[in-house]
């Protein structure tokens, strides 16, 4: 892997810190299995929404569809 500084004049310490971050990221990416699914986010879980009971039908049920009882 070749890294080239395109703009600026980094100090040796800044360059070493940037290279350490790039190497750590590459090592982490290489250690992860390629076929693994990403973890599911709780916000996108449909069971979170479906766990609440629906309001009972009736003349004022439209007002209870948004606000919990």
């Amino acid at each position: 892997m070749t890294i080239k500084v395109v703009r600026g004049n980094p100090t040796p310490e800044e360059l070493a810190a940037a290279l350490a971050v790039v190497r750590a990221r590459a090592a982490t990416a290489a250690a992860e299995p390629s076929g693994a699914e990403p973890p599911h986010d709780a916000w996108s879980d449909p069971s979170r929404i479906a766990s609440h009971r629906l309001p009972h039908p009736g003349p004022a049920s439209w007002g209870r569809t948004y606000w919990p009882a």
Side-chain angles (χ1 to χ4, degrees), residues 3-26:
I3 296 178
K4 179 180 174 183
V5 177
V6 179
R7 188 181 301 174
N9 189 12
T11 65
E13 292 82 13
E14 292 172 335
L15 196 55
L19 186 58
V21 171
V22 169
R23 283 188 176 179
R25 178 73 176 143

Side-chain angles (χ1 to χ4, degrees), residues 5-69:
V5 177
V6 179
R7 188 181 301 174
N9 189 12
T11 65
E13 292 82 13
E14 292 172 335
L15 196 55
L19 186 58
V21 171
V22 169
R23 283 188 176 179
R25 178 73 176 143
T28 303
E32 293 177 0
S34 61
E37 288 185 22
H40 295 290
D41 191 10
W43 285 101
S44 64
D45 187 12
S47 66
R48 181 181 63 89
I49 298 169
S51 67
H52 302 295
R53 295 179 53 140
L54 295 174
H56 295 291
S61 63
W62 65 270
R64 295 187 306 248
T65 57
Y66 181 74
W67 299 104

